[in-house]
Amino acid sequence: MDVVWAFEVFDRAPYVTVSMVRENGTPYGLPLNLVRKDEHTFYFHCADEGEKIDCLRHQPIVSLSAVSKCTPAFEVEKQNFTEHYHSAVAVGRAEIVENDDEKIEALRLLCLRFLPTWMDHFEDAIARSLSRTTVVRISLTEPPVGKCKE
């Protein structure tokens, strides 16, 4: 599958698993709500402390994995169990966003993607919580790869 198709998988997936590395070298992955700004940039938000932040400060290289379709199936003609899926993976570098304008842009993109009908409350929410909200930018270091089975 081409890069455009892989981005479509990321755009349709309700969650993207972000895999990181703990300081002791063990893996840490969790599903997060990500939004894509362009062909190089994803964002997510979180608290300003915790295991995610510890991992990213230790090792900023992350892996992204998304599934936008997952349908188990039995193929009667082949007498075969299978799964139909659309998936994509990418690798990037995570950085905490320090610039308030970029933070607001990222939070606006997240809200537009996940709660567009509530945007009339966005400015009030930003005024209340911007200073205590951490935004993480993931800049892709290589193009995403997608796979599917129909």
Side-chain angles (χ1 to χ4, degrees):
M1 311 273 57
D2 68 9
V3 170
V4 172
W5 190 90
F7 278 130
E8 289 173 4
V9 170
F10 279 111
D11 293 343
R12 286 190 307 268
Y15 302 98
V16 175
T17 299
V18 179
S19 297
M20 303 166 245
V21 179
R22 292 181 177 111
E23 222 173 305
N24 67 7
T26 60
Y28 182 66
L30 65 161
L32 297 171
N33 295 119
L34 264 68
V35 67
R36 181 170 66 93
K37 175 184 174 183
D38 55 35
E39 288 75 30
H40 306 284
T41 312
F42 287 84
Y43 291 105
F44 69 89
H45 80 293
C46 59
D48 63 354
E49 60 182 271
E51 194 156 17
K52 283 188 295 291
I53 297 300
D54 293 344
C55 289
L56 296 176
R57 286 191 174 125
H58 163 69
Q59 172 54 267
I61 304 302
V62 298
S63 173
L64 308 178
S65 172
V67 176
S68 65
K69 175 184 177 182
C70 181
T71 309
F74 183 75
E75 299 171 322
V76 175
E77 64 285 350
K78 293 181 183 177
Q79 294 292 294
N80 186 46
F81 293 91
T82 191
E83 184 133 36
H84 301 278
Y85 63 89
H86 294 175
S87 67
V89 296
V91 175
R93 180 179 187 82
E95 298 175 88
I96 295 171
V97 175
E98 302 294 343
N99 177 283
D100 281 352
D101 290 337
E102 185 179 0
K103 282 176 70 172
I104 292 168
E105 176 188 21
L107 293 167
R108 185 181 312 281
L109 290 170
L110 283 159
C111 288
L112 284 168
R113 176 166 185 216
F114 293 103
L115 292 166
T117 60
W118 294 93
M119 289 306 293
D120 53 334
H121 299 280
F122 180 79
E123 296 300 328
D124 289 340
I126 288 298
R128 280 192 317 276
S129 62
L130 183 65
S131 65
R132 63 179 189 269
T133 302
T134 297
V135 172
V136 176
R137 175 191 333 103
I138 299 173
S139 302
L140 297 187
T141 56
E142 55 190 66
V145 176
K147 292 189 176 190
C148 80
K149 181 176 181 189
E150 298 291 341

